[in-house]
């Protein structure tokens, strides 16, 4: 059978694996699905809804069997009745991004964001970071004006005044730090662990355990290669940007990769507690339509195998 693996640059591990050939040595019949080339859906209102694209394509024709994303998409999928299961998580990516404003904005703290326009890549980990930050100071989603921004272009919107605050991530933050003085309102560290994570359909895991094991082993091998070869790995991302007509800094990408944890770990109780807290906050703030229990998406044998595969790399 053909196994379909979704990928895009925001999940660094799968993006590099797409280019190394390490998975094909284990599973020759692989179809790589670039998320950026799948049909888009109408944007949702970030005031009261979350996009479901990543989890939808696990179940829609022409999609994929396995995907890796940031923190929020599996929560969204579960809340829409998708029977998905966790594969594993990365280590904390607390250096990857933070909530910033321009230093001369007059905004001194998260509490000052009441009524302000805050840019996020809505539906990603950035939504969760902003929600956790607001909750910590007693604000709710309705107290701010959420603005859905592109991961890279949000910095230009902040500098240009289209938004008042931005949850930025590297290497996008690098683009504006050199020329614009920023104030950090919230660091990711101390707020939540912000891991990458991978998930699949329950029926795929149950019916294709050997294929899933091969994907996990290949990801572990590829991630170990990234750690040893960050410069070569960064080149894949730069080449991709340039093929699409853009420009990118190899040094910035290499620095971003060097600052991120690689390797897949089993889901932990601490991670699941964070996921459950995010799900509960998303529900109470009107972004989910029904409650969920994230531990329903845990399959014990997958976690056991992830741990074993990690220890053998």
């Amino acid at each position: 059978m053909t196994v379909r693996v979704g990928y895009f640059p925001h999940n660094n591990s799968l993006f590099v694996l797409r280019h190394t050939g390490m998975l094909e040595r284990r599973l020759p019949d692989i179809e790589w699905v670039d998320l950026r080339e799948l049909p888009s859906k109408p944007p949702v209102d970030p005031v009261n809804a979350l996009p479901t694209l990543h989890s939808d394509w696990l179940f829609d024709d022409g999609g994929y069997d396995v995907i890796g994303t940031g923190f929020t998409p599996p929560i969204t999928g579960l809340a829409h009745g998708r029977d998905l299961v966790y594969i594993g998580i990365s280590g904390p990516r607390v250096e990857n991004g933070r909530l910033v404003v321009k230093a001369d904005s007059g905004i001194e703290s998260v509490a000052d964001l009441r009524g302000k326009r805050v840019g996020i890549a809505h539906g990603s980990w950035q939504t969760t970071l902003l929600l956790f930050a607001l909750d910590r100071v007693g604000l709710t989603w309705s107290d701010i004006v959420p603005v859905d921004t592109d991961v890279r272009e949000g910095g230009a919107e902040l500098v240009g005044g289209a938004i008042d605050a931005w949850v930025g991530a590297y290497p996008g933050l690098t683009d504006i730090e050199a020329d614009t003085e920023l104030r950090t309102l919230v660091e990711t560290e101390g707020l939540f662990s912000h891991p990458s994570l991978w998930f699949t359909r329950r029926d795929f895991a149950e019916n294709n355990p050997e294929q899933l094991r091969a994907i996990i082993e290949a990801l572990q091998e590829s991630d170990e290669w990234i750690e040893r070869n960050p410069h070569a790995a960064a080149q894949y991302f730069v080449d991709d940007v340039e093929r699409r007509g853009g420009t990118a800094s190899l040094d910035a990408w290499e620095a971003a990769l060097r600052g991120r944890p690689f390797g897949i770990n089993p889901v932990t109780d601490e991670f699941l507690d964070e996921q459950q807290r995010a799900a509960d906050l998303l529900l109470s703030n009107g972004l989910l339509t029904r409650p969920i229990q994230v531990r329903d998406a845990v399959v014990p044998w997958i976690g056991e195998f992830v741990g074993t595969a990690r220890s053998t790399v």
Side-chain angles (χ1 to χ4, degrees):
M1 64 168 288
T2 299
V3 176
R4 302 165 302 162
V5 180
Y7 75 101
F8 63 144
H10 303 315
N11 187 277
N12 302 154
S13 296
L14 281 172
F15 188 79
V16 172
L17 182 62
R18 165 68 180 89
H19 294 87
T20 63
M22 293 178 183
L23 181 55
E24 286 80 353
R25 291 200 292 270
R26 290 176 169 85
L27 292 176
D29 199 2
I30 287 291
E31 178 183 348
W32 289 98
V33 180
D34 189 335
L35 274 66
R36 299 166 298 179
E37 296 178 359
L38 293 172
S40 60
K41 292 188 175 183
V44 302
D45 187 345
V47 171
N48 55 26
L50 285 166
T52 62
L53 193 63
H54 293 327
S55 57
D56 287 346
W57 282 116
L58 271 176
F59 297 85
D60 291 350
D61 291 339
Y64 38 74
D65 301 306
V66 171
I67 188 58
T69 68
F71 192 83
T72 312
I75 298 172
T76 309
L78 290 168
H80 282 79
R82 300 301 200 184
D83 192 12
L84 57 85
V85 295
Y86 299 108
I87 296 173
I89 58 175
S90 75
R93 295 186 298 162
V94 293
E95 300 300 323
N96 182 41
R98 60 191 191 278
L99 176 59
V100 299
V101 296
K102 290 194 293 185
D104 60 1
S105 66
I107 299 172
E108 301 287 339
S109 69
V110 175
D112 296 331
L113 291 179
R114 187 185 297 272
K116 302 297 185 182
R117 300 159 298 176
V118 185
I120 50 172
H122 188 49
S124 73
W125 66 272
Q126 299 185 9
T127 299
T128 296
L129 182 144
L130 178 57
L131 194 57
F132 280 1
L134 294 171
D135 183 65
R136 191 161 69 177
V137 299
L139 295 181
T140 67
W141 201 248
S142 61
D143 289 321
I144 56 103
V145 180
V147 180
D148 193 2
T149 63
D150 180 81
V151 173
R152 295 296 295 268
E153 295 174 3
E157 294 181 37
L158 178 69
V159 173
I163 56 177
D164 304 298
W166 177 47
V167 180
Y170 291 103
L173 269 169
T174 306
D175 296 341
I176 63 169
E177 284 180 324
D179 302 315
T180 304
E181 187 178 356
L182 302 177
R183 173 179 295 117
T184 298
L185 299 186
V186 170
E187 298 278 5
T188 302
E189 187 170 15
L191 189 65
F192 84 123
S193 62
H194 175 29
S196 293
L197 53 85
W198 296 265
F199 52 101
T200 185
R201 298 186 310 276
R202 187 180 301 274
D203 71 283
F204 180 82
E206 291 177 346
N207 296 330
N208 304 280
E210 292 307 314
Q211 287 88 342
L212 182 55
R213 291 186 179 100
I215 292 169
I216 292 167
E217 289 174 337
L219 275 167
Q220 299 284 27
E221 180 186 1
S222 181
D223 271 15
E224 195 271 340
W225 181 85
I226 295 171
E227 289 185 314
R228 289 187 288 107
N229 302 277
H231 185 82
Q235 190 67 58
Y236 292 133
F237 296 89
V238 173
D239 290 346
D240 178 75
V241 172
E242 292 178 348
R243 276 195 301 268
R244 292 171 174 270
T247 59
S249 165
L250 182 61
D251 288 343
W253 265 110
E254 181 177 352
L257 295 179
R258 286 184 181 276
R260 293 176 188 172
F262 288 97
I264 306 175
N265 306 306
V267 296
T268 63
D269 283 334
E270 292 78 11
F271 162 76
L272 293 168
D273 288 344
E274 281 188 328
Q275 286 265 285
Q276 190 63 56
R277 180 179 171 230
D280 295 343
L281 278 175
L282 289 164
L283 178 67
S284 64
N285 281 270
L287 291 167
L288 294 183
T289 58
R290 69 182 182 94
I292 62 168
Q293 296 298 317
V294 301
R295 281 174 167 80
D296 292 343
V298 175
V299 175
W301 76 258
I302 296 177
E304 292 168 5
F305 184 79
V306 169
T308 299
R310 169 116 201 191
S311 67
T312 59
V313 171

